Amino acid sequence: MKVSGLTFAQLKKWVAVDLGMKPYRAQQLFSWIHLKRVISFHQMTDISLSARNRLDRAGEITALESCDTIAADDGTVKYSFALEDSEVIESVLIPDPPRLTACLSTQAGCRCGCTFCQTGRGGFRRNLRTDEIVAQLYGLQSSSTDRITNVVFMGMGEPMDNFPALRDALSIISDDRGICIGARKITVSTVGIPGGIEKLMQLDSQYGLAVSLHSAVESTRLKLVPVAKALPLRELKRDMKDYISRKGRRITLEYCLIAGINDSLEEASALAEFAGDIECKINLLIYNPVEGAPYRRPDIESVNRFMHYLYPRCQAVMLRRSRGSDIAAACGQLGPAVRND
Ligand code: SF4
């Protein structure tokens, strides 16, 4: 059993039902794994030796060690982690004092095939398990003396396409018996797949939601995000509005500006209209070139024109610094094909 991927409720059940141990052992185990972050049952000194031996035979704690690290000039660090089947995934640590944000992956590769994204261009290999998602966070935390304050699921993969593992990872990460990163400090990003936002909405906590929109014109969005065919803009907007009203939280629209594709005033106007009646902030990003993709960065004049069109018309618009672009750790750049080793 991959014990570090069990939520507290699952752990309690495993301890009591599968191992026949006293239920309080679950609390001890959870605290050792997720608060003190030990990686061996034998380090759990308040558990008897015979119980530790038993746990060791029945379970495993997943720890990921970075096999490659690249630091960018802005302090962003990209970590590559090799999984037990030799898949390599990437996670990013982004300092932005007082915040320190971990960007985690949920899949090795991605099925969505967004045409501007390195991960999407590399295809899908497999879903990550909960223990592998959580272990990325602990791998990143062990490399920094500062506490990670925020988590974003914006690394490799579409989080909603691996929902059960995401759901359990969210539960573990936000559990106050463990590393305890509050739900409001955790953001799940999605391109919008049918039923995805709805499933996140069913969870009790108020996780942040970011939607990678990239265009409010259906035909442009389809070019960039082929899976958008399954969830047209009208339905995506309905899901977003439901999320906002259910959770009482504003959401984020991510919009990656690409020269000649979605940076025109017509596109800005469509975006303003789409976002006009949604409680949201718009994060504009400037496209980071990806090997083999037929896209270019827009020039600064187009970016300014686009922004200035939006400013008076939308509630909140930010031009986000693209962190780590010189090490291929920025939005849409993660993936083996761009490793700089
Ligand atoms: S942008 Fe996100 S959803 Fe689209 S292919 Fe890349 S990782 Fe997948």
Side-chain angles (χ1 to χ4, degrees):
M1 177 64 72
K2 306 286 186 187
V3 183
S4 49
L6 297 178
T7 63
F8 186 68
Q10 292 164 345
L11 187 63
K12 256 183 12 193
K13 185 163 172 271
W14 182 68
V15 161
V17 177
D18 295 23
L19 300 185
M21 289 180 168
K22 295 269 191 264
Y24 71 86
R25 289 279 185 226
Q27 171 77 53
Q28 287 177 307
L29 273 171
F30 199 88
S31 161
W32 277 112
I33 296 170
H34 301 292
L35 186 63
K36 297 165 197 145
R37 290 190 290 284
V38 303
I39 53 169
S40 159
F41 295 105
H42 291 291
Q43 292 171 279
M44 301 178 180
T45 48
D46 59 356
I47 298 179
S48 69
L49 183 60
S50 63
R52 278 186 263 158
N53 286 337
R54 178 100 191 281
L55 287 165
D56 199 40
R57 283 193 299 275
E60 258 177 74
I61 301 169
T62 304
L64 293 179
E65 252 183 64
S66 172
C67 57
D68 192 15
T69 307
I70 310 171
D73 294 342
D74 64 9
T76 298
V77 186
K78 178 170 75 170
Y79 294 83
S80 301
F81 294 112
L83 307 180
E84 61 202 11
D85 58 0
S86 304
E87 279 297 344
V88 175
I89 55 165
E90 292 173 346
S91 323
V92 185
L93 200 53
I94 308 159
D96 188 13
R99 295 198 295 190
L100 179 61
T101 301
C103 174
L104 306 182
S105 294
T106 49
Q107 297 179 315
C110 185
R111 278 188 249 266
C112 292
C114 300
T115 52
F116 58 92
C117 169
Q118 188 65 37
T119 308
R121 295 172 69 82
F124 174 76
R125 294 183 302 286
R126 74 169 172 87
N127 279 331
L128 300 188
R129 300 185 310 261
T130 303
D131 57 294
E132 292 169 326
I133 298 173
V134 171
Q136 290 169 64
L137 177 62
Y138 299 166
L140 296 179
Q141 182 61 87
S142 68
S143 69
S144 174
T145 49
D146 296 324
R147 185 174 187 271
I148 291 175
T149 57
N150 294 64
V151 172
V152 294
F153 286 91
M154 291 186 186
M156 297 166 73
E158 162 56 52
M160 306 301 194
D161 189 36
N162 185 13
F163 192 78
L166 170 75
R167 177 199 58 212
D168 291 350
L170 289 170
S171 166
I172 292 169
I173 292 169
S174 59
D175 195 313
D176 57 13
R177 290 162 284 221
I179 194 166
C180 187
I181 296 176
R184 296 182 71 87
K185 303 271 170 107
I186 302 175
T187 299
V188 178
S189 174
T190 179
V191 286
I193 60 172
I197 294 175
E198 204 183 320
K199 283 189 242 169
L200 191 69
M201 191 162 61
Q202 302 302 335
L203 304 182
D204 283 340
S205 305
Q206 288 181 301
Y207 299 111
L209 173 68
V211 174
S212 298
L213 189 70
H214 306 314
S215 177
V217 175
E218 202 84 71
S219 56
T220 310
R221 185 162 147 80
L222 276 173
K223 255 186 238 159
L224 298 172
V225 182
V227 296
K229 198 169 173 202
L231 193 68
L233 283 165
R234 192 170 32 84
E235 292 170 32
L236 177 62
K237 186 165 173 172
R238 178 206 56 206
D239 290 355
M240 292 190 300
K241 283 183 145 186
D242 285 351
Y243 194 86
I244 294 162
S245 77
R246 177 81 76 90
K247 299 294 175 188
R249 278 199 77 173
R250 168 167 97 152
I251 63 167
T252 303
L253 297 182
E254 303 279 343
Y255 195 106
C256 180
L257 285 163
I258 304 176
I261 302 290
N262 64 356
D263 62 342
S264 65
L265 283 183
E266 291 72 35
E267 288 276 345
S269 159
L271 176 58
E273 198 186 322
F274 181 86
D277 58 347
I278 304 177
E279 279 288 309
C280 67
K281 74 171 179 209
I282 299 173
N283 271 348
L284 297 176
L285 301 117
I286 299 178
Y287 174 67
N288 292 302
V290 156
E291 216 175 273
Y295 299 128
R296 284 178 299 111
R297 284 171 80 84
D299 55 40
I300 196 66
E301 288 77 28
S302 322
V303 173
N304 284 337
R305 201 178 50 221
F306 197 93
M307 259 187 349
H308 289 132
Y309 184 89
L310 292 180
Y311 269 141
R313 295 173 173 86
C314 298
Q315 300 167 17
V317 184
M318 277 191 44
L319 180 63
R320 219 175 72 189
R321 280 178 300 154
S322 198
R323 306 297 304 269
S325 57
D326 56 325
I327 55 163
C331 174
Q333 288 189 316
L334 297 185
V338 288
R339 294 199 36 223
N340 290 354
D341 49 6

